[in-house]
Amino acid sequence: MNSSSAAPALVRYRNTIGGKQAEPIDGQWFESLNPYTGQAWAEIPRCGPADADAAVKAAHAAFQSAAWASLKPSARGKLLLKLAELIDRDAERLAAIEVRDNGKLMAEMLGQVRYLSEWYRYFGGLADKIEGAVIPTDKPEMFNYTRHEPLGVVVAITPWNSPLLLLGWKLAPALAAGNTAVIKPSEYTSASTLEFARLFEEAGFPPGVVNTITGFGVDVGDALVTHPLVAKIAFTGGDATGAHVSELAARHIKRVTLELGGKSPNIVFDDADLDNALMGAIAGIFGASGQTCIAGSRLLVQRSVHDQFVDRLVAFARTARMGDPMLATTQVGPITTLPHREKVLGYIDIARGEGAQCALGGGRPSDPALSGGWFVEPTIFVGVDNRMRIAQEEVFGPVLSVIPFDDEADAIRIANDINFGLAAGVWTRNIRRAFLMSERLQAGTVWVNTYRAVSYMSPFGGFKRSGIGRENGQEAIREYLQTKSVWMNLAEGMPNPFVLR
Ligand code: TXE
């Protein structure tokens, strides 16, 4: 297949460790595959525990170095602003690399990478606004104040769906707070992170402030998470891996931030602007081929409009054009990895086995032009019961479950009857209902008459099993700081410690 997204020869990448381009100590490499062609296009270092140790030590040395530790907060912020400029300059190049690795649409990845620079600007701006407090305690002879200090080495473990964006959610606040970092990108999408890491030197960051370690989670994950010089792990990925990381981190008393996906309800009331709700439902599940943690994969539709809404939904989703993700005309790209494509198809079988009715799609596309890529047709199941596995488990693909409901109470009961709690959508024209639903829905983000809005300025994270901690917004920087309380005795002389007062 001729593909505008296929690269002619294998590109060999290296890690950045201590400011140098590092080859894997064992000399092992693995191939990165293009999901549209199924062909290898890059070689990525297959690191092991010794590489992980070197990266953490480099990050720790940088954390202790005068070049980083004594840098004034405003100067630290300016480095992040400079980095933002370089991201803007290289956005197209970085986005094209991401598309080659994860198969998402160029239009989406370019939009993401362009938007990414705002994270570094926002947190760069916060770097010199990390203020403590003077606390008027009950001890008038004492002066008490707080300082917010960086943690040390932060390990950022990122997934394959939006590699650079989700990295930015961690790295921008971590660096603004004065930490150093080791980045472990997904083994499926390492290349953009490796290219990105090279920009830090050009921006003027001291060597070792940002390091990368590629390879498989099983090879390097535990070595990074349990390393005695690592203070915190910021993780986005699946809930099983997240639980494993969290368990190990707990054993070693390390901080974690976890973002573990969801099974978000997108709720359409009969009083909604149904044209808009239709767009929101489609965008919620078929954007990024459903490979997004905030996918609105459970569409709850009020029974009074259920049938007509589903008819329109199926008719509109049927028009989606699958194809080369590099082309502007493509609307749905392939699934990022072959094992994941099999997992998505497996869930379609499970749904059928559970008695859900497939109203659209339900398999691989028959178009021979798409046979080289890992595609799954946009798929809609109706007659879904919320207790079915297809409604309870994250599919992370273009597979929508439609569930009818009767009234507000019923919608809330169904929406919250799930282990996850990342996001929720509500479509209504009734302001009282919008407030009530926003209050009752157990989710870290609620959208009313919109879906998928996120910003560097607004906190993002999960309720329940969707995660721990918040990314984005001012509170995110607190996740990378520790508070010190300083007491100064202003009294003259010390009282006799054997005389209790
Ligand atoms: O994720 P993993 P996978 C969900 C989605 C998907 C499922 C599994 O439902 O089907 O997760 O995807 C690293 N120690 N999401 O298997 O394994 C790994 O190398 C430390 C939701 O691809 O969680 C990668 O860098 N790290 C999601 C990162 O963990 C380890 C985005 C995530 O991969 C490790 C992606 C270990 N032992 C998938 N093992 C979201 N929240 O947006 C692996 N890793």
Side-chain angles (χ1 to χ4, degrees):
M1 175 189 322
N2 276 332
S3 164
S4 56
S5 57
L10 292 192
V11 187
R12 180 167 271 208
Y13 282 95
R14 285 168 187 77
N15 277 296
T16 296
I17 297 180
K20 299 198 169 64
Q21 290 294 289
E23 304 226 337
I25 291 170
D26 287 345
Q28 304 279 318
W29 306 76
F30 66 98
E31 290 179 340
S32 208
L33 308 179
N34 179 333
Y36 178 55
T37 63
Q39 303 299 313
W41 74 274
E43 285 182 312
I44 306 294
R46 179 166 186 170
C47 295
D51 303 278
D53 181 57
V56 173
K57 284 186 174 143
H60 189 252
F63 182 70
Q64 292 188 313
S65 71
W68 182 245
S70 304
L71 197 63
K72 291 195 178 71
S74 305
R76 208 163 65 221
K78 281 182 190 147
L79 290 180
L80 288 162
L81 299 185
K82 177 67 189 167
L83 182 75
E85 273 177 32
L86 300 181
I87 294 171
D88 286 341
R89 183 196 70 190
D90 289 359
E92 234 164 284
R93 185 173 67 85
L94 293 169
I97 293 171
E98 301 227 298
V99 175
R100 221 169 277 148
D101 256 349
N102 74 4
K104 283 167 73 171
L105 304 185
M106 180 62 178
E108 174 168 2
M109 297 324 283
L110 186 56
Q112 267 191 14
V113 178
R114 287 200 174 127
Y115 196 25
L116 170 67
S117 59
E118 298 297 345
W119 265 261
Y120 291 95
R121 285 194 188 93
Y122 178 81
F123 286 101
L126 272 184
D128 59 5
K129 294 163 196 73
I130 300 168
E131 297 170 351
V134 173
I135 300 174
T137 68
D138 57 339
K139 302 177 195 335
E141 72 283 14
M142 301 280 186
F143 183 73
N144 177 243
Y145 67 98
T146 56
R147 294 168 46 82
H148 299 290
E149 300 183 357
L151 305 171
V153 177
V154 172
V155 168
I157 302 177
T158 54
W160 39 263
N161 52 339
S162 296
L164 290 181
L165 187 72
L166 297 176
L167 171 62
W169 293 15
K170 297 157 184 54
L171 198 57
L175 296 179
N179 301 283
T180 58
V182 176
I183 309 162
K184 155 70 187 81
S186 166
E187 50 272 36
Y188 295 110
T189 57
S190 302
S192 62
T193 299
L194 297 183
E195 285 281 352
F196 174 65
R198 303 185 70 163
L199 298 181
F200 284 83
E201 188 185 0
E202 192 181 345
F205 283 82
V209 170
V210 171
N211 309 273
T212 59
I213 280 293
T214 49
F216 296 85
V218 286
D219 293 340
V220 294
D222 291 8
L224 288 171
V225 172
T226 63
H227 199 293
L229 296 178
V230 167
K232 162 155 187 155
I233 300 97
F235 174 90
T236 299
D239 62 349
T241 312
H244 172 76
V245 165
S246 184
E247 213 175 305
L248 270 190
R251 224 178 287 157
H252 294 262
I253 320 293
K254 294 180 193 300
R255 291 168 169 75
V256 290
T257 305
L258 303 171
E259 199 272 87
L260 307 179
K263 191 77 188 176
S264 300
N266 200 0
I267 306 168
V268 180
F269 283 96
D270 60 6
D271 65 15
D273 179 324
L274 294 180
D275 294 341
N276 289 346
L278 184 66
M279 296 303 132
I282 296 276
I285 188 63
F286 299 125
S289 298
Q291 300 171 108
T292 156
C293 51
I294 50 180
S297 48
R298 287 186 298 152
L299 183 69
L300 275 54
V301 185
Q302 195 156 21
R303 216 175 285 279
S304 44
V305 291
H306 177 275
D307 291 355
Q308 53 144 309
F309 193 77
V310 166
D311 286 347
R312 291 184 62 192
L313 186 74
V314 169
F316 191 61
R318 203 186 290 284
T319 66
R321 258 191 314 276
M322 287 176 273
D324 183 345
M326 291 299 279
L327 300 179
T329 47
T330 300
Q331 294 166 330
V332 175
I335 298 296
T336 297
T337 78
L338 191 54
H340 190 56
R341 202 265 303 269
E342 297 313 305
K343 176 179 160 182
V344 174
L345 292 174
Y347 268 110
I348 290 174
D349 288 344
I350 288 170
R352 286 197 170 108
E354 288 177 309
Q357 297 131 40
C358 187
L360 181 73
R364 301 170 58 175
S366 52
D367 181 354
L370 301 176
S371 62
W374 304 322
F375 285 90
V376 172
E377 294 175 304
T379 296
I380 297 176
F381 279 103
V382 294
V384 175
D385 183 284
N386 194 56
R387 286 279 98 210
M388 291 177 179
R389 283 184 66 191
I390 194 65
Q392 289 288 318
E393 297 175 20
E394 188 179 49
V395 176
F396 221 64
V399 181
L400 181 66
S401 296
V402 186
I403 304 169
F405 70 89
D406 293 318
D407 53 19
E408 287 165 2
D410 199 29
I412 290 165
R413 181 187 61 77
I414 296 169
N416 290 342
D417 179 19
I418 191 108
N419 283 331
F420 291 110
L422 193 59
V426 179
W427 299 86
T428 178
R429 284 192 174 101
N430 179 330
I431 187 83
R432 180 202 60 80
R433 177 173 273 171
F435 273 95
L436 178 113
M437 295 298 291
S438 307
E439 199 180 301
R440 303 258 169 97
L441 284 166
Q442 295 165 352
T445 295
V446 176
W447 293 294
V448 177
N449 296 330
T450 185
Y451 205 87
R452 287 187 84 183
V454 291
S455 164
Y456 49 91
M457 293 173 158
S458 183
F460 180 87
F463 280 27
K464 303 183 187 170
R465 278 188 72 100
S466 286
I468 295 174
R470 289 293 174 272
E471 303 191 290
N472 309 340
Q474 289 194 39
E475 67 184 88
I477 202 163
R478 288 294 167 110
E479 305 270 354
Y480 297 92
L481 291 163
Q482 51 195 339
T483 304
K484 180 181 281 173
S485 174
V486 182
W487 293 87
M488 291 196 181
N489 181 14
L490 303 178
E492 296 206 17
M494 283 291 285
N496 181 341
F498 292 119
V499 180
L500 294 178
R501 289 180 300 159

